[in-house]
Amino acid sequence: MKVTRFDHVHQLTFFAPILPINVQLIERELGLVLIDTGLAQNAESILAYIETFERPLLAILLTHAHGDHVGGVDTILKAHPHAELYVSRRDARLLEGDRTTDSDERALKLKGSLPKIHSLPDKLLDPGERLFGLRVYPAAGHTPGSIAFFDEKERILFAGDAFQTRGGVAVAGDVRPLFPLPGIATWDKRAALEHAEKLLDLAPQRTFVGHGQPVAGTHRLYLALKRAKRKQARLFLR
């Protein structure tokens, strides 16, 4: 496990540099907030790092329901039973094994690992809600209920897999040959592109992603957005 600290945000990276999986641990005044949990085998390392703090784990916030983001939930909550689990209302259904699409969603096949977990969410999140100094933003596309968390005071975006930086900065669904997995596992590329553009309108000063290094500013993210738009335009012209 590699630890990279950015002030009060600690990024824990597993399987770097080839297949990096990130989780972020945020220091708050009353305790710690964990964004995503990696794979099941990453949980013990995350717990060991949490133990280095003299603060409780307050909550786990999930950006989406893929196995490399929810795999450690049960083990971590067993060790920290008072921590609360938060997930989007839409992706909570995926955690229960419901893979049906809604009438207002494109009837596309869901992709990627979607394991069930035993832990029940303490709260289902809707866009616009605020918790632990973060606002919830919709980021559907990678999964139907993907969400991002934005620290409005510090202007830090926790984007989950709405973007990746490993293998080149990219919008979810834009397959990068050096690290194709997030792109291949994206459910609706059109929705991913639309929501990525809205996230960039927030003008984050730093963006953390599920796979790859954080990005300072928005320039590289905007270039990735333009590339994804060109690819999508070519597909529509065929």
Side-chain angles (χ1 to χ4, degrees):
M1 180 180 76
K2 177 183 178 183
V3 178
T4 310
R5 183 173 179 178
F6 300 86
D7 192 22
H8 63 292
V9 180
H10 303 247
Q11 177 157 287
L12 315 183
T13 304
F14 303 92
F15 313 118
I18 305 302
L19 298 170
I21 296 174
N22 300 325
V23 306
Q24 290 87 33
L25 189 67
I26 306 171
E27 295 183 61
R28 292 303 191 204
E29 184 176 354
L30 297 178
L32 306 171
V33 175
L34 180 65
I35 296 183
D36 292 333
T37 66
L39 294 167
Q41 59 262 45
N42 305 140
E44 293 300 333
S45 295
I46 295 171
L47 287 171
Y49 192 72
I50 290 173
E51 288 302 312
T52 65
F53 295 84
E54 295 183 356
R55 300 181 185 184
L57 179 65
L58 301 174
I60 296 173
L61 314 183
L62 298 177
T63 61
H64 63 287
H66 278 153
D68 57 334
H69 294 256
V70 308
V73 166
D74 290 334
T75 299
I76 294 171
L77 287 180
K78 184 177 180 180
H80 293 270
H82 297 296
E84 295 183 320
L85 178 63
Y86 296 80
V87 65
S88 74
R89 188 176 303 277
R90 179 65 183 87
D91 266 21
R93 286 167 42 193
L94 299 183
L95 296 179
E96 297 171 352
D98 179 0
R99 299 193 179 194
T100 60
T101 52
D102 292 339
S103 59
D104 60 344
E105 296 171 344
R106 297 174 70 202
L108 301 172
K109 181 180 179 181
L110 293 170
K111 301 177 181 179
S113 169
L114 293 167
K116 292 183 181 180
I117 62 174
H118 298 294
S119 303
L120 297 176
D122 292 281
K123 181 172 175 56
L124 303 182
L125 296 174
D126 294 305
E129 294 190 58
R130 285 180 174 171
L131 67 167
F132 305 106
L134 306 170
R135 185 184 285 274
V136 179
Y137 281 86
H142 192 60
T143 64
S146 289
I147 53 177
F149 301 98
F150 187 54
D151 185 327
E152 296 173 309
K153 180 180 179 181
E154 302 291 338
R155 307 209 64 79
I156 299 173
L157 178 65
F158 299 92
D161 284 358
F163 296 95
Q164 70 179 73
T165 61
R166 172 70 177 113
V169 181
V171 174
D174 182 2
V175 177
R176 308 301 290 159
L178 292 179
F179 192 65
L181 298 180
I184 292 172
T186 295
W187 161 69
D188 186 338
K189 296 180 181 181
R190 187 187 305 172
L193 183 57
E194 292 171 355
H195 284 97
E197 185 164 18
K198 292 176 181 177
L199 291 176
L200 285 186
D201 286 342
L202 299 173
Q205 292 184 0
R206 188 177 300 276
T207 299
F208 289 86
V209 297
H211 307 281
Q213 290 297 311
V215 180
T218 58
H219 178 67
R220 295 169 65 200
L221 296 172
Y222 274 117
L223 292 179
L225 183 70
K226 289 176 62 177
R227 182 179 59 246
K229 282 185 173 183
R230 288 196 300 269
K231 286 187 175 181
Q232 192 171 102
R234 288 197 296 269
L235 289 175
F236 288 156
L237 290 174
R238 289 179 181 176

